[in-house]
Amino acid sequence: MSQHRNVRFGTFGDVLAAMRQAKILEEVRRTGGARVAQLTALLGVSDMTVRRDLETLDRKGLLSKVHGGATAMETASAVEPGFEVTSLREVPEKEAIATRAAELVRPGMAIAITAGSTTWTLARHLGDIANLTVVTNSLKVAEVLHGRQRPDLTVVLTGGLRTPSDGLVGPVAVQAIRSLHVDMVIMGVHGIDERAGLTTPNLLEAETNRALVESARRLVVVADHTKWGVVGLAQIAPLRAVTTLLTDDRLPAHAAEVLSEQVPEVIIIPTSEPEFDPDEDPDEADDTER
């Protein structure tokens, strides 16, 4: 008997609202704060629309709504943002990183995937890899892979306590992970720092992720440029434990140098459009490409 799940598709209005809100978040994070008048001019919508968007984002904990505008949320080493928050950030960068990371996964592999919005994005690119076994402590990742309904795709979901990022952590998860051995673990992280290494604000998540690192032959980290310089409360692993790190081309040059000194393979994925040179002859460019 076939099983059907009820899926609610968003309306076109929902999509427009999400796009507006993502733009508002980008502007508020870039400047530290913005007034309603500035945002209405930027988006070309009414004051009322902007105020509704700000109220929505404030309720979700993405920014702080203040009189006449909004300010960016202050970060802290022990504050863990929820999945709904992180999934709206650096979407093009995460998509590019996830697409490239999926190329590292081969048919027949057993891999582990940690919780996070970048790894969730990655999961959507793994559906066509044959004979794949995935161990994960992420409810979101498991949901994506389970939706493929493929007989040669095995998903092992660890138990544990649920985190704001929809990860399962704690003693139950650690015990399950320590009984397994995988070819690689693909890990998303809260922060990467030259001295602190890979970090997270959640103590239980750090312990769980350390168990995943110990279970794998290879540690692959997927992290966009905003993770550099961020230090969470607990260390997962030092930089030298990383086998491969994938990030985007907005990573500072200094950070790329530091990473290349400690990580054997650093893959920087281009995400920005190439600049147009008005003095370049289009015909010459075409001939060069050919």
Side-chain angles (χ1 to χ4, degrees), residues 70-170:
T71 60
M73 296 291 290
E74 293 184 3
T75 59
S77 61
V79 175
E80 180 180 6
F83 179 83
E84 205 170 74
V85 175
T86 59
S87 64
L88 291 176
R89 296 175 178 170
E90 284 68 51
V91 174
E93 289 85 351
K94 290 175 181 176
E95 181 65 30
I97 292 168
T99 301
R100 179 65 179 86
E103 297 176 6
L104 303 177
V105 182
R106 305 298 183 194
M109 274 188 168
I111 66 171
I113 301 177
T114 69
S117 56
T118 307
T119 50
W120 168 72
T121 305
L122 165 71
R124 304 204 303 267
H125 294 274
L126 299 179
D128 295 327
I129 299 176
N131 301 312
L132 187 64
T133 298
V134 178
V135 177
T136 185
N137 70 324
S138 168
L139 294 168
K140 296 291 187 182
V141 168
E143 182 180 20
V144 169
L145 296 175
H146 179 70
R148 302 292 298 200
Q149 295 294 315
R150 279 183 38 206
D152 64 337
L153 175 60
T154 302
V155 181
V156 180
L157 181 63
T158 69
L161 302 172
R162 188 171 184 172
T163 70
S165 60
D166 280 340
L168 298 175
V169 300

Side-chain angles (χ1 to χ4, degrees), residues 164-241:
S165 60
D166 280 340
L168 298 175
V169 300
V172 173
V174 170
Q175 184 175 1
I177 292 165
R178 284 180 176 164
S179 67
L180 302 171
H181 300 280
V182 296
D183 296 306
M184 73 169 69
V185 55
I186 303 177
M187 179 176 293
V189 294
H190 174 77
I192 305 175
D193 182 76
E194 181 175 0
R195 295 184 178 179
L198 312 177
T199 61
T200 172
N202 191 307
L203 291 171
L204 290 178
E205 183 175 48
E207 181 184 16
T208 304
N209 282 355
R210 282 195 292 268
L212 285 167
V213 172
E214 292 169 3
S215 75
R217 297 178 181 175
R218 180 180 181 187
L219 171 57
V220 176
V221 174
V222 288
D224 67 75
H225 69 280
T226 64
K227 304 300 178 67
W228 177 256
V230 176
V231 179
L233 179 64
Q235 186 189 63
I236 300 167
L239 287 180
R240 64 178 178 274

Side-chain angles (χ1 to χ4, degrees), residues 47-59:
D47 286 8
M48 186 64 69
T49 297
V50 168
R51 292 180 192 278
R52 282 199 301 266
D53 286 339
L54 292 179
E55 288 172 359
T56 299
L57 295 169
D58 182 80
R59 284 196 304 270

Side-chain angles (χ1 to χ4, degrees), residues 2 16 43 55 60 88 113 130 159 169 204 222 242 244-245 261:
S2 62
L16 290 178
L43 300 170
E55 288 172 359
K60 293 179 178 179
L88 291 176
I113 301 177
V169 300
L204 290 178
V222 288
V242 180
T244 302
L245 186 142
E261 291 173 358

